[in-house]
Amino acid sequence: MPAALPDDGNNGPLALIAGGGAIPIAVAEAVQRSGRRVVLFPVRGWADPEAVEKYPHHWIAVVQAGKFAKHARAEGCRDVILLGAAVRPPFWSLRLDWMTLRLLPAVYRSYRGGDDHLLSGIARIFEQHGFRIVGAHEVAPGILIPAGKIGRFEPSPRDRSDIARGLGLLRAIGPFDVGQAAVVANNQVLMVEGIDGTDSMLARIAELRERGRIPTAQGVGVLVKAPKPGQDRRLDMPAIGPKTVEAAARAGLAGIAVVAGSTIIAEPAEVARAADAAGLFVHGIDERAE
Amino acid sequence: MPAALPDDGNNGPLALIAGGGAIPIAVAEAVQRSGRRVVLFPVRGWADPEAVEKYPHHWIAVVQAGKFAKHARAEGCRDVILLGAAVRPPFWSLRLDWMTLRLLPAVYRSYRGGDDHLLSGIARIFEQHGFRIVGAHEVAPGILIPAGKIGRFEPSPRDRSDIARGLGLLRAIGPFDVGQAAVVANNQVLMVEGIDGTDSMLARIAELRERGRIPTAQGVGVLVKAPKPGQDRRLDMPAIGPKTVEAAARAGLAGIAVVAGSTIIAEPAEVARAADAAGLFVHGIDERAE
């Protein structure tokens, strides 16, 4: 990777490597609104082609370090943010460019283990080449969910007990670098997020409910999301959006609880509207209070 | 529930409440082979009607305590064993008999929480009425998996590291009364068992693999099963059978590892044959050594 430009404080253009979903675009919008130039590097197959059209952008393939670095340098970017859903491809299917080939041993070492491990390995490589990885909380703090309710509804005492159990479980599995989410209903853990992610977990709950395999009634149960303990907040911060609300509604849950200040919310107005329409609560957990 | 008969040592007939799958029948066979009479109480909708035909049996519905107690008493049974897959029905769908209605508050209290909580609540009710809940390890120790390999194949050093990570994870989530199984591949936790059970988790892995969503190659990854720490071994002991091997093969795993002496193996010869045919290892973990 060619080296990045010298440090220019926090005001140079921001390189945003964009995976799938609404989050990268929501962050790009917030950064642009703050007056900072943003250049998208949408990842082919993951990012939405229509959504990136509104921004200066350069398409890249997964792990095309050389192509990214060349364009990021030409655009004057030193700060880099990685956002959005990433389907981790089988290692042998990666279309590596020449630059990445030289980085291969380091990438491969990062590939063995969980997502955190992979991401921190990739962040290290960027930093060795003079880029600086930043987090959404640094460049667009307004995109983090605040404490309290989004929309009209609030968790009941039973929901709060489910939230506490879910948070405890997520803390316990943190060291194993597994999912950031779980569904708890009436004090019972129904499901822990696997490699397929939150939406897929909710779809499975919906399917099990249809087959009469969920013991709790419709409208009982909470999707709880929390960052892993010790997780680098610049990387892989939990996120929700209107689609999460729709998936939770289809799963027949009472609501969604995420850690305030540590969770990205895409399209908050849409989230509130979808939650109110479905009768779900969306709750920002104040970790200091709960 | 009418009271059970007086204690007759360990040799009176055994009441076996049979859920789904091959385990209840395998245990019934082992108990009968040991010279003890066994009376099946197959649960309607769960147990296999053809398999129970070979044994004296009385069909019951879920939570028909009165019917169970009447027949168990008439058959002279004091010891009771509960075995097999149980789809926990929605509470409001239970067809309670008169006896169970009186036990309802206690059953309902047990219903709130995880499986362990439900089962220990049910065990307590049996015991309050003079029955004694026994475990497979007491009545048919030969049905527990021994340490070492079943079949030809053995775990590689990488598989052993996946097994260690899986065991650590299962210990960490034990207090949350969630799944007894996880899939770990190349040091990454792919999935934790949810309310839908082991076979469903393996089916999801197979499906994700088909869609190119599993980062590790075919033939990498281990299904690890372990009893929850502090779990009452008389209740809900982990179990594997030929179907587990087939599901693990479809999921593209290297093998299956379970805790020796604490896991029921149904049809061990069939398990070995299926594992050898699919090129999978089935490994009994010696917890004192590993």
Side-chain angles (χ1 to χ4, degrees), chain B residues 66-259:
Chain B
K67 186 167 180 193
F68 166 77
K70 192 184 92 187
H71 288 287
R73 200 181 149 77
E75 293 275 5
C77 299
R78 183 170 178 274
D79 287 358
V80 180
I81 184 166
L82 293 111
L83 284 169
V87 178
R88 190 198 286 218
F91 192 77
W92 57 91
S93 76
L94 300 177
R95 291 185 301 152
L96 305 168
D97 65 11
W98 179 240
M99 193 62 62
T100 309
L101 268 178
R102 284 166 46 204
L103 302 172
L104 203 56
V107 172
Y108 186 74
R109 274 195 301 279
S110 310
Y111 227 76
R112 201 164 174 273
D115 281 344
D116 276 9
H117 191 71
L118 174 63
L119 287 167
S120 59
I122 288 174
R124 217 164 26 242
I125 295 170
F126 275 103
E127 284 170 356
Q128 280 161 359
H129 288 79
F131 290 98
R132 179 170 60 186
I133 299 280
V134 296
H137 59 295
E138 296 169 271
V139 295
I143 202 154
L144 300 181
I145 202 165
K149 64 181 175 178
I150 302 279
R152 278 200 301 133
F153 297 99
E154 283 182 274
S156 71
R158 179 176 57 198
D159 298 330
R160 285 183 188 271
S161 139
D162 287 344
I163 293 168
R165 195 163 177 81
L167 281 181
L169 172 76
L170 294 174
R171 271 187 212 116
I173 64 173
F176 295 92
D177 199 1
V178 52
Q180 294 179 309
V183 174
V184 183
N186 212 2
N187 222 29
Q188 184 180 14
V189 180
L190 299 185
M191 202 85 75
V192 178
E193 182 181 298
I195 197 178
D196 46 339
T198 303
D199 288 353
S200 165
M201 171 175 66
L202 293 173
R204 286 189 270 128
I205 301 262
E207 191 203 318
L208 288 169
R209 191 181 291 285
E210 228 163 78
R211 287 160 45 205
R213 296 283 301 272
I214 297 291
T216 40
Q218 182 82 17
V220 177
V222 183
L223 166 67
V224 184
K225 290 194 84 160
K228 294 166 201 160
Q231 179 177 347
D232 188 335
R233 287 176 73 205
R234 300 171 308 162
L235 302 166
D236 199 23
M237 204 181 259
I240 61 166
K243 283 205 172 151
T244 321
V245 175
E246 285 154 26
R250 275 193 301 271
L253 302 184
I256 298 171
V258 297
V259 176

Side-chain angles (χ1 to χ4, degrees), chain A:
Chain A
M1 237 192 254
L5 300 177
D7 193 350
D8 52 8
N10 281 326
N11 299 313
L14 175 72
L16 192 159
I17 300 182
I23 304 293
I25 303 305
V27 172
E29 207 175 287
V31 171
Q32 205 168 53
R33 216 167 31 226
S34 79
R36 188 172 182 181
R37 178 177 157 85
V38 60
V39 182
L40 297 194
F41 292 84
V43 178
R44 222 177 285 284
W46 298 354
D48 171 9
E50 207 170 306
V52 306
E53 276 303 326
K54 295 196 298 178
Y55 299 87
H57 66 273
H58 306 276
W59 284 94
I60 54 172
V62 184
V63 202
Q64 285 193 332
K67 186 166 180 195
F68 166 77
K70 194 184 90 187
H71 288 287
R73 200 181 149 75
E75 295 275 5
C77 300
R78 181 168 181 274
D79 287 359
V80 181
I81 185 166
L82 293 110
L83 285 168
V87 178
R88 189 196 289 219
F91 192 77
W92 57 92
S93 77
L94 299 177
R95 290 184 301 152
L96 306 169
D97 65 11
W98 179 240
M99 192 61 63
T100 309
L101 268 176
R102 284 166 46 206
L103 301 171
L104 204 57
V107 173
Y108 186 74
R109 274 196 301 279
S110 310
Y111 227 76
R112 203 168 172 274
D115 282 343
D116 276 8
H117 191 71
L118 174 64
L119 287 167
S120 59
I122 288 173
R124 219 165 23 245
I125 294 170
F126 275 102
E127 283 170 354
Q128 280 161 1
H129 288 79
F131 290 98
R132 180 170 59 185
I133 299 281
V134 297
H137 59 295
E138 295 169 271
V139 295
I143 202 156
L144 301 181
I145 202 166
K149 63 180 176 180
I150 302 279
R152 280 198 302 133
F153 297 101
E154 283 183 275
S156 70
R158 179 177 57 201
D159 297 330
R160 285 184 188 269
S161 137
D162 286 345
I163 292 168
R165 194 165 177 82
L167 281 181
L169 171 76
L170 294 174
R171 271 187 212 116
I173 63 173
F176 295 93
D177 199 1
V178 52
Q180 294 179 308
V183 173
V184 183
N186 212 0
N187 221 28
Q188 183 181 14
V189 179
L190 298 185
M191 202 86 75
V192 178
E193 184 183 296
I195 196 177
D196 47 339
T198 303
D199 289 354
S200 164
M201 171 175 66
L202 293 174
R204 286 189 271 126
I205 302 262
E207 191 203 316
L208 287 169
R209 191 181 290 284
E210 228 163 78
R211 286 160 47 206
R213 297 281 301 272
I214 297 291
T216 40
Q218 182 84 14
V220 177
V222 183
L223 166 66
V224 185
K225 290 194 84 160
K228 294 165 200 161
Q231 179 177 344
D232 188 337
R233 286 174 75 206
R234 301 171 307 164
L235 303 166
D236 198 24
M237 205 181 257
I240 60 165
K243 284 206 172 149
T244 321
V245 176
E246 286 155 25
R250 277 193 299 271
L253 302 184
I256 298 172
V258 299
V259 176
S262 299
T263 309
I264 296 174
I265 179 165
E267 306 171 63
E270 257 316 286
V271 166
R273 198 206 50 75
D276 288 353
L280 260 64
F281 68 81
V282 175
H283 178 69
I285 304 163
D286 184 350
E287 275 203 303
R288 288 155 312 181
E290 271 162 289

